[in-house]
Amino acid sequence: MDQIRNVSEQTEDVLEKMSRPLKPCIPWVARALLVSTFIEDSVRILAQWQNQLYFLQAYRGFPWGV
């Protein structure tokens, strides 16, 4: 068990040293990915508008024109 713990600690130390230069960039990357998710979703909704309407009417019971 001690051997596994030692290997785990060594691996964690190596990963910590490798990721140190990237840490300042992580918040910006996270924000960019979040914003791109919303943009992609809005573009998909606009591109598939007829499919969205059909789904709401046929499967969810929304009346036409709502």
Side-chain angles (χ1 to χ4, degrees):
M1 190 68 172
D2 289 334
Q3 186 179 12
I4 293 173
R5 185 172 292 128
N6 289 338
V7 170
S8 175
E9 289 174 358
Q10 289 174 353
T11 304
E12 187 175 328
D13 290 342
V14 169
L15 289 175
E16 178 70 27
K17 289 177 186 175
M18 289 174 51
S19 68
R20 201 170 283 147
L22 298 175
K23 281 189 179 180
C25 300
I26 290 175
W28 288 99
V29 171
R31 289 181 188 120
L33 290 174
L34 183 64
V35 169
S36 67
T37 300
F38 285 112
I39 292 171
E40 183 271 332
D41 195 36
S42 62
V43 169
R44 182 181 52 82
I45 288 173
L46 290 174
Q48 298 176 350
W49 185 251
Q50 291 301 320
N51 294 340
Q52 298 281 338
L53 290 178
Y54 177 77
F55 172 78
L56 290 174
Q57 293 166 3
Y59 294 105
R60 301 297 260 167
F62 280 63
W64 184 84
V66 174

